[in-house]
Amino acid sequence: MSLRQMTNKFLNALMIVGISLCFLYSVYALYMAGVRWAVAKIEAAGAKGMVIAGFYSVTQGEVIRSDDSCTLIEYYYEWDGADYRKVLYGVSDDYPVNTKVPVVYSVGMAMGSCLVVGFYRKHMLICGISGLILFVVSMVLKVKRKGK
């Protein structure tokens, strides 16, 4: 295998990784938008939660505690009617105390193990920007190589 072929394969792989990271961020952004839309519908109806397809539930939680060590979120669990708490060990400045946050959980998830929508937004944004940079760099390098 020649150096030219190896370089082309590397640039193709770089492009695929970039597209994949951008796609991952796009899916996460659609997920956040869909859950926020569901929470807006829940608030408009005055309900505590919404069951989607009998398997997933969307509700609105509240940040009880937020400090340097963890963030504590209390949310309503649809299937037994109790309030549970989720502890997130990661500092997020986006969630001060008394902030309302969308929460998603499924039937098979244990109590206290929900998905807090938007908590990883900054990390996913960095992932999407990195993918865009990788894609653009690989395209520029491919165009430069074809110009020679």
Side-chain angles (χ1 to χ4, degrees), residues 7-120:
T7 305
N8 283 338
K9 284 188 177 189
F10 176 73
L11 290 177
N12 287 340
L14 201 62
M15 188 183 313
I16 289 170
V17 168
I19 290 171
S20 299
L21 290 175
C22 288
F23 180 72
L24 180 67
Y25 176 72
S26 300
V27 169
Y28 186 74
L30 287 173
Y31 165 71
M32 284 192 322
V35 170
R36 288 192 175 135
W37 174 81
V39 168
K41 293 292 183 185
I42 291 169
E43 286 178 351
K48 284 190 170 187
M50 173 191 292
V51 177
I52 300 171
F55 189 72
Y56 283 101
S57 182
V58 178
T59 187
Q60 190 167 19
E62 182 177 357
V63 177
I64 304 281
R65 176 180 158 202
S66 181
D67 57 19
D68 292 339
S69 62
C70 67
T71 301
L72 187 66
I73 298 170
E74 186 174 72
Y75 66 97
Y76 174 74
Y77 193 75
E78 182 75 25
W79 286 286
D80 65 0
D83 289 334
Y84 290 98
R85 292 184 176 180
K86 167 79 173 180
V87 179
L88 297 168
Y89 295 102
V91 179
S92 180
D93 298 332
D94 295 341
Y95 298 119
V97 176
N98 296 328
T99 302
K100 301 285 187 186
V101 293
V103 175
V104 176
Y105 53 90
S106 68
V107 173
M109 294 177 91
M111 283 57 133
S113 62
C114 62
L115 301 172
V116 180
V117 177
F119 193 75
Y120 300 107

